[in-house]
Amino acid sequence: MKIVGRVVGALVLLAIVAGIIWRWETNGWGSLVWLVVAIATPMIRAPFANRTAENTITEKRETGTEPVLLFLVMAGTTFLPIVHLLTGVFSFADYDLPTWATVVGAVIPIPALWLFWRSHADLGRNWSVTLEVREEHTLVTNGVYRRVRHPMYTSLFALYLASPLLLHNWIAGFSGVVSFAVLHLVRVANEERMMRDLFGAEYEAYVARTGRLLPRLAS
């Protein structure tokens, strides 16, 4: 049954990709850039997710709202844009942008995808989809985490902020920005609370010298 499910999933994915490519002239060339980013993001994450699946989890900190928030992010960042790109159902909310704005939207994902990959690489086995404490959990303060506590969220914000420049539609373009912003507001507080519980004064010192999403300005 797993093989059948994978085959069906692959066929559905191919159909979606083919459909978006087929309609690129209607949706604009920015939709092709959006498609590349939408495919690249889970591909970058997949090997790290496979690696952390072997972790021994000692405590789960997932709140009751987290599954709902993750579903909303998936809907906002992926489902709604795909539905629009395949059907044009939200075309009443289209807007026009100059070519240079779409070019900016196409350039932003380049450093953002690198940062997305680098933040996973620097976290190593400490990364997880949900809030979990693993055996031998460590506080990572090197690499891209040296000056920023949540560079992965920074990279995702950049990717989702590029969407309105690529998909010229108020719903398909901004749904990812809004849904991810809500997740960030709720989740980061819980994540930092977990880190304080785990690492105490060490984490407090780390917070004092770093920024949440961007490097802290020198005082």
Side-chain angles (χ1 to χ4, degrees):
M1 290 300 293
K2 286 184 178 181
I3 295 177
V4 173
R6 288 176 181 175
V7 171
V8 172
L11 291 175
V12 170
L13 178 60
L14 286 174
I16 291 172
V17 171
I20 292 176
I21 293 174
W22 179 264
R23 285 174 49 86
W24 80 267
E25 290 184 293
T26 300
N27 296 316
W29 64 267
S31 64
L32 298 180
V33 179
W34 181 90
L35 178 61
V36 170
V37 173
I39 294 173
T41 306
M43 288 183 64
I44 290 172
R45 173 165 280 180
F48 298 101
N50 291 336
R51 189 182 309 167
T52 57
E54 302 172 359
N55 284 349
T56 299
I57 305 303
T58 59
E59 182 182 357
K60 285 185 174 289
R61 293 289 188 100
E62 181 179 311
T63 63
T65 60
E66 186 155 328
V68 177
L69 292 172
L70 290 174
F71 173 79
L72 290 176
V73 169
M74 179 60 67
T77 61
T78 307
F79 180 71
L80 290 179
I82 285 176
V83 168
H84 173 67
L85 293 175
L86 291 178
T87 68
V89 65
F90 302 131
S91 58
F92 62 88
D94 285 348
Y95 53 79
D96 293 322
L97 285 179
T99 300
W100 65 262
T102 309
V103 171
V104 171
V107 171
I108 290 173
I110 297 173
L113 286 173
W114 176 86
L115 181 58
F116 186 68
W117 165 77
R118 187 69 255 176
S119 57
H120 280 84
D122 286 343
L123 273 183
R125 296 286 290 271
N126 294 287
W127 174 78
S128 62
V129 176
T130 59
L131 298 182
E132 297 173 339
V133 178
R134 75 171 186 89
E135 195 174 77
E136 299 180 356
H137 206 118
T138 59
L139 177 62
V140 176
T141 61
N142 62 294
V144 293
Y145 289 86
R146 186 170 67 89
R147 299 182 64 191
V148 179
R149 299 195 299 281
H150 303 284
M152 194 179 299
Y153 292 154
T154 305
S155 68
L156 290 171
F157 262 123
L159 292 174
Y160 300 142
L161 286 170
S163 291
L165 300 175
L166 300 172
L167 309 179
H168 304 167
N169 182 272
W170 289 102
I171 297 174
F174 284 91
S175 57
V177 179
V178 174
S179 59
F180 186 72
V182 173
L183 172 69
H184 173 264
L185 287 173
V186 175
R187 186 173 186 179
V188 166
N190 293 330
E191 187 173 324
E192 295 205 336
R193 187 179 304 113
M194 180 182 79
M195 300 300 283
R196 283 186 169 90
D197 291 344
L198 281 175
F199 301 108
E202 183 183 4
Y203 188 73
E204 292 291 355
Y206 176 59
V207 169
R209 66 177 184 269
T210 57
R212 177 172 285 181
L213 296 175
L214 297 172
R216 184 186 294 275
L217 295 176
S219 55

